[in-house]
């Protein structure tokens, strides 16, 4: 953490119209009371304010961290509200893919802003996220630097823990819903610079927590689509040491885009999961009861390659940082 920034006159002069606030005021006013009402139910004994948070647990802990960088994961000029919300959901999506139940989240924020306007909007995003998923912000860090939001999500095991490495040959591959809404939403936001029916899929994506918990006891493996359907299916293939045979006509995607775009774009946060044939009937029944969609898109095979309509696909087209 940084105690030097807020005394730095240069940063205050750069934004003369906005009143600068100190680090401890920011934490107190904007980061201390996010979702604290959910802490009791989630057995969070100590949240923001001490050197670390304390959570009481009887089941396995499931933890994941994701960092969102300005210019990479969210565009310059996006409202802090949406930057914050998106960063939290992208982190939480990993808990959905594990079939787990969220308990709390931690936030490490790096920014050059230290004014009420920025932090009021940022807080709105955190509060909306906290209310949507019923978890509190239990701690974090605040430093001055390049705008970057790192979120750690903490969850517990719900039923079975869904891993990437447990798919067997013959299991059926499912996708939770249509691909491409995230990409189309981002394109729309870049054009109109505001939230509407289309851009909301990008600005306020959803983590499929209840969906993940529902499939957990029936599925053999799962992954969330963060970097592109084919790339993420490639991770399942590698971890489970199986291949996949897909039929393009069964893959749901946004018809304003091409199938190729939708197979390779990130930001959708749909779940890909595999199910042993013997579990399909009971899963289908449970999904119907919960009004959850699921689309059968292929089968897992012994050859460790991904075939789309009989042709080997390149899985190297999704987003990669290095
Ligand atoms: P320390 O010096 O012990 O690391 P800090 O001064 O960084 O503590 O933080 C004080 C308290 O504020 C801690 O409880 C910490 O978890 C919390 N905190 C700091 N930054 C954030 C943040 N971005 N979001 C939520 N809580 C934060
Ligand atoms: Mg300390």
């Amino acid at each position: 953490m940084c105690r030097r920034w807020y005394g730095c006159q240069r940063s205050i002069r750069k934004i003369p119209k906005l009143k600068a606030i100190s680090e401890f005021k920011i934490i107190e006013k904007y980061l201390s009371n996010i979702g604290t009402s959910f802490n009791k139910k989630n057995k969070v004994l100590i949240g923001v304010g001490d050197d670390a948070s304390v959570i009481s647990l009887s089941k396995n802990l499931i933890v994941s961290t994701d960092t969102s960088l300005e210019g990479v994961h969210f565009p310059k000029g996006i409202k802090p509200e949406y930057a914050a919300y998106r960063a939290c959901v992208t982190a939480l999506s990993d808990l959905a893919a594990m079939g787990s139940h969220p308990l709390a989240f931690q936030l490490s924020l790096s920014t050059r802003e230290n004014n009420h306007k920025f932090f009021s909007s940022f807080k709105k995003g955190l509060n909306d996220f906290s209310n949507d998923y019923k978890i509190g912000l239990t701690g974090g860090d605040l430093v001055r630097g390049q705008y970057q939001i790192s979120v750690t999500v903490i969850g517990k095991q719900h039923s079975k823990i869904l891993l990437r490495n447990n798919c067997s040959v013959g299991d059926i591959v499912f996708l939770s819903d249509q691909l491409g809404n995230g990409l189309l939403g981002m394109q729309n936001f870049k054009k109109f610079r505001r939230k509407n029916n289309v851009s909301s899929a990008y600005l306020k994506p959803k983590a499929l927590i209840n969906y993940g918990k529902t499939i957990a006891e029936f599925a053999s493996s799962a992954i969330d689509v963060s970097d592109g359907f084919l790339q993420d299916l490639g991770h399942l293939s590698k971890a489970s040491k199986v291949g996949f045979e897909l039929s393009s006509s069964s893959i749901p995607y946004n018809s304003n885009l091409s199938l190729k775009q939708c197979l390779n774009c990130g930001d959708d946060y749909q779940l890909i999961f595999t199910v042993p044939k013997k579990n399909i009937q009971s899963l289908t029944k449970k999904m119907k009861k919960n009004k959850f969609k699921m689309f059968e898109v292929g089968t897992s095979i012994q050859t460790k390659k991904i075939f789309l309509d009989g042709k080997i696909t390149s899985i190297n087209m999704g987003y990669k940082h290095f």
Side-chain angles (χ1 to χ4, degrees), residues 76-96:
K76 274 201 161 87
I78 186 176
K79 259 193 194 175
E81 173 191 341
Y82 300 132
Y85 192 95
R86 258 189 69 73
C88 293
V89 168
T90 56
L92 195 66
S93 174
D94 287 318
L95 291 196

Side-chain angles (χ1 to χ4, degrees), residues 1-3 23-24 27 31-32 47-53 105-109 122 126 137-142:
M1 59 128 265
C2 156
R3 292 209 159 87
E23 172 182 350
F24 298 114
I27 294 175
L31 302 165
S32 294
V48 171
D50 215 310
D51 289 317
S53 49
F105 68 113
Q106 303 258 138
L107 164 75
S108 176
L109 172 63
F122 200 89
L126 294 177
L137 176 61
T138 52
D141 204 7
L142 180 61

Side-chain angles (χ1 to χ4, degrees), residues 69-84 86 113 117-118 121 147 189-190 192-195 202-203:
L69 265 176
E70 182 182 45
V72 177
H73 302 92
F74 60 91
K76 274 201 161 87
I78 186 176
K79 259 193 194 175
E81 173 191 341
Y82 300 132
R86 258 189 69 73
E113 305 280 352
K117 187 168 180 251
F118 174 87
S121 173
Y147 191 9
F189 176 73
K190 285 192 169 160
F192 300 110
R193 309 303 291 181
R194 63 184 170 80
K195 183 163 168 279
Y202 178 74
L203 298 173

Side-chain angles (χ1 to χ4, degrees), residues 5 21 38 63 75 104 173 193 198 206 228 236 257 278 296 320:
W5 165 35
I21 20 176
F38 303 120
V63 187
V173 188
R193 309 303 291 181
V198 180
K206 293 187 170 74
L236 268 193
L257 298 166
K278 65 176 171 46
E296 181 178 333
K320 279 196 279 317

Side-chain angles (χ1 to χ4, degrees), residues 279-295:
N279 289 351
I280 288 183
Q281 213 182 2
S282 15
L283 171 65
T284 309
K285 210 169 140 195
K286 187 149 184 201
M287 296 297 269
K288 273 202 181 125
K289 202 173 138 206
N290 284 284
K291 298 202 170 68
F292 284 137
K293 294 184 207 170
M294 58 181 212
F295 297 84

